[in-house]
Amino acid sequence: QVQLVESGGGLVQAGGSLRLSCAASGLTFSSYNMGWFRQAPGKEREFIATITERGTFTYYADSVKGRFTISRDNAKNTGYLQMNSLKPEDTAVYYCAARPGGTSGITYEYDYWGQGTQVTVSS
């Protein structure tokens, strides 16, 4: 049974930082590309960042480029999203996802999803 479990969300003031974690089990984590998405109330799920199986390539949405960093530790079966210079518009539920094959920014191309973690940025 594949599980992705996000953690690290919370309430932070604008300009602050958070680091999200995504713990994977039930799959060979190092064989999967990983992505982070977010969904704000009343909005569609939005692509944030993706990283290849070995972490050699990363890609970011323009909205977070230069502020967020995606990374992974395959020895720990865990992915990360470091979020700096947070803005109120970053408030959303953040999800990690995994897929085999190449990287993707498209939600339906991911096979496995976590349950999400809430990030709230106050102004």
Side-chain angles (χ1 to χ4, degrees):
Q1 178 184 359
V2 175
Q3 280 194 315
L4 301 177
V5 180
E6 301 96 337
S7 62
L11 174 64
V12 64
Q13 289 189 333
S17 299
L18 283 174
R19 188 174 84 151
L20 305 184
S21 297
C22 174
S25 61
L27 77 170
T28 305
F29 184 64
S30 59
S31 297
Y32 283 76
N33 291 274
M34 198 184 78
W36 284 93
F37 294 76
R38 68 186 180 189
Q39 188 166 18
K43 295 188 177 181
E44 292 187 354
R45 194 165 295 189
E46 173 191 19
F47 165 76
I48 295 300
T50 185
I51 187 168
T52 49
E53 298 98 322
R54 297 185 180 181
T56 53
F57 175 79
T58 58
Y59 183 78
Y60 299 89
D62 288 343
S63 58
V64 305
K65 198 174 296 182
R67 299 189 298 124
F68 290 11
T69 302
I70 189 172
S71 63
R72 64 192 297 161
D73 185 338
N74 287 343
K76 296 182 178 179
N77 289 340
T78 301
Y80 304 97
L81 185 68
Q82 177 68 42
M83 305 186 296
N84 299 329
S85 302
L86 283 161
K87 306 174 181 180
E89 51 264 43
D90 293 320
T91 295
V93 177
Y94 282 70
Y95 300 89
C96 66
R99 70 182 300 270
T103 56
S104 173
I106 302 173
T107 55
Y108 62 76
E109 292 188 348
Y110 282 80
D111 293 345
Y112 303 109
W113 290 84
Q115 83 290 347
T117 185
Q118 176 70 46
V119 171
T120 302
V121 184
S122 63
S123 57

